[in-house]
């Protein structure tokens, strides 16, 4: 694999089964912070979990554990959602989230998941459209936790209302909206957030770095293949652009933009 040295730890982590989500997320930040002390950040999560464990009641009923976690994270430590600067890239770097105690739904959920894992309280991520929540990983648990909103406990009807608030119109709740997502999918979603932020900022080199890491996690992500190919095309890397764009069309021959991509390929061949 030909990629920057700072990406090697991330590549190594995502080859493991299971993926250590917290460590892999910190490895994402290595390209932004080459001197990042990953172990020190993992120890911070260990410390948080130890403090919560001391406060847990003997009977670890799910709601009691969640209430204890919520009290510690959102009242004692003051973790909160960054509504003032939602699109700050720092919201997607776990080390920054731990230091500043502010983040977006997926990064705050990741902190919650990592502490719950250390408490041996199984929880999973739920990748709703436009929002990210978590839930206890018990059969028929029926409750969800919104880490971005102070650990608010939600029921399915609350999730539907939250979707409607996000999109500004009624959004019927589909069963797949509440399906658990894997660690790999969480990492892809975090990198996709960074990709969108960097594209909006016109920071093409960082957008490309995010796309390249997405493709390490999901090699057949067709939109990322297309976007990387377009960046290569814009930067004059004709061979690399052709490879990505040809693969994109082979995977999605009837894509809405297929004719546009084909014209670009013709220019590259001329």
């Amino acid at each position: 694999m030909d990629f920057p040295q700072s990406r090697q730890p991330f590549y190594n982590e995502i080859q493991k089964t299971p993926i250590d989500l917290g460590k892999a997320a910190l490895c994402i930040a290595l390209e932004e912070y080459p001197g990042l002390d990953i172990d020190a950040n993992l120890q911070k999560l260990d410390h948080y979990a130890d403090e919560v464990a001391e406060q847990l009641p003997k009977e670890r009923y799910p709601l009691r554990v969640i209430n204890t976690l919520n009290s510690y994270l959102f009242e004692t430590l003051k973790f909160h959602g960054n509504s003032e600067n939602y699109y700050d890239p720092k919201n997607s770097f776990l080390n920054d989230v731990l230091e500043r105690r502010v983040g977006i739904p997926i990064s705050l959920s990741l902190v919650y998941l990592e502490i719950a894992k250390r408490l041996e309280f199984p929880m999973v991520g739920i990748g709703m459209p436009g929002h990210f929540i978590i839930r206890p990983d018990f059969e028929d648990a029926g409750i969800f936790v919104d880490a971005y909103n102070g650990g608010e406990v939600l029921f399915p009807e609350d999730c539907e209302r939250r979707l409607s608030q996000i999109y500004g119109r009624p959004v019927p709740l589909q069963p797949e909206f509440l399906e658990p997502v894997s660690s790999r999918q969480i990492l892809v979603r975090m990198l996709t957030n960074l990709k969108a932020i960097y594209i909006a900022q016109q920071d093409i080199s960082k957008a490309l770095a995010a796309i390249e890491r997405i493709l390490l996690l999901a090699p057949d992500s067709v939109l990322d293949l297309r976007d990387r190919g377009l960046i290569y095309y814009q930067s004059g890397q004709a061979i690399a652009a052709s490879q990505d764009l040809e693969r994109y069309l082979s995977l999605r021959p009837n894509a809405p933009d297929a004719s546009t991509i084909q014209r670009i390929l013709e220019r590259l061949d001329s």
Side-chain angles (χ1 to χ4, degrees):
M1 287 284 180
D2 183 21
F3 42 65
Q5 185 177 355
S6 58
R7 195 169 300 164
Q8 188 68 50
F10 175 74
Y11 177 76
N12 293 342
E13 285 303 316
I14 64 174
Q15 304 309 306
K16 297 177 182 178
T17 305
I19 292 174
D20 184 325
L21 179 59
K23 192 170 184 181
L26 288 165
C27 287
I28 287 176
L30 272 176
E31 292 190 42
E32 186 75 15
Y33 304 102
L36 178 64
D37 188 336
I38 288 178
D39 287 339
N41 281 275
L42 293 173
Q43 287 165 12
K44 187 177 290 186
L45 289 166
D46 294 341
H47 173 69
Y48 290 164
D50 289 342
E51 294 222 316
V52 175
E54 292 178 1
Q55 301 172 27
L56 285 174
K58 288 184 179 180
E59 296 81 12
R60 291 193 176 191
Y61 300 122
L63 268 176
R64 290 187 179 182
V65 175
I66 288 168
N67 286 336
T68 305
L69 271 163
N70 286 349
S71 175
Y72 179 72
L73 280 174
F74 305 115
E75 295 175 20
T76 302
L77 296 184
K78 309 294 185 186
F79 275 89
H80 60 282
N82 192 346
S83 57
E84 295 180 359
N85 197 0
Y86 192 90
Y87 297 104
D88 183 346
K90 291 180 183 292
N91 293 327
S92 294
F93 295 127
L94 180 55
N95 57 307
D96 282 321
V97 175
L98 292 172
E99 180 181 345
R100 305 192 310 162
R101 299 183 184 177
V102 62
I104 54 177
I106 194 167
S107 57
L108 292 172
S109 293
L110 197 156
V111 172
Y112 207 111
L113 288 169
E114 285 296 300
I115 296 173
K117 178 178 73 176
R118 286 161 170 76
L119 296 172
E120 298 183 352
F121 180 72
M123 297 193 77
V124 291
I126 304 295
M128 287 203 313
H131 199 50
F132 197 93
I133 56 176
I134 49 184
R135 71 162 171 81
D137 193 17
F138 301 113
E139 189 174 356
D140 300 323
I143 58 172
F144 302 84
V145 177
D146 188 344
Y148 185 73
N149 288 292
E152 182 182 359
V153 175
L154 306 174
F155 295 94
E157 54 269 28
D158 300 313
C159 296
E160 185 170 59
R161 279 195 293 271
R162 181 107 333 138
L163 279 173
S164 298
Q165 290 168 358
I166 291 166
Y167 287 98
R169 57 179 172 79
V171 178
L173 187 67
Q174 305 297 322
E176 59 267 25
F177 292 173
L178 299 180
E179 287 296 312
V181 291
S182 67
S183 294
R184 188 172 295 271
Q185 290 170 306
I186 291 173
L187 294 169
V188 166
R189 190 155 170 163
M190 292 179 72
L191 286 161
T192 300
N193 287 340
L194 282 170
K195 167 190 165 183
I197 290 167
Y198 290 137
I199 288 174
Q201 294 177 349
Q202 297 187 329
D203 191 334
I204 299 306
S205 63
K206 288 186 177 181
L208 179 59
I211 292 170
E212 288 173 339
R213 282 172 286 176
I214 292 170
L215 289 168
L216 288 177
L217 289 157
D220 291 331
S221 175
V222 290
L223 295 182
D224 291 290
L225 281 168
R226 180 201 64 188
D227 291 348
R228 185 173 68 176
L230 291 173
I231 289 175
Y232 284 152
Y233 171 63
Q234 291 166 358
S235 59
Q237 300 181 62
I239 295 174
S242 293
Q243 289 174 342
D244 277 352
L245 296 178
E246 285 172 359
R247 189 165 175 221
Y248 169 66
L249 288 182
S250 71
L251 292 169
R252 188 169 286 184
N254 298 316
D257 59 356
S259 60
T260 301
I261 299 299
Q262 187 60 51
R263 284 196 296 273
I264 292 173
L265 284 168
E266 289 167 2
R267 288 192 208 112
L268 288 167
D269 287 340
S270 60

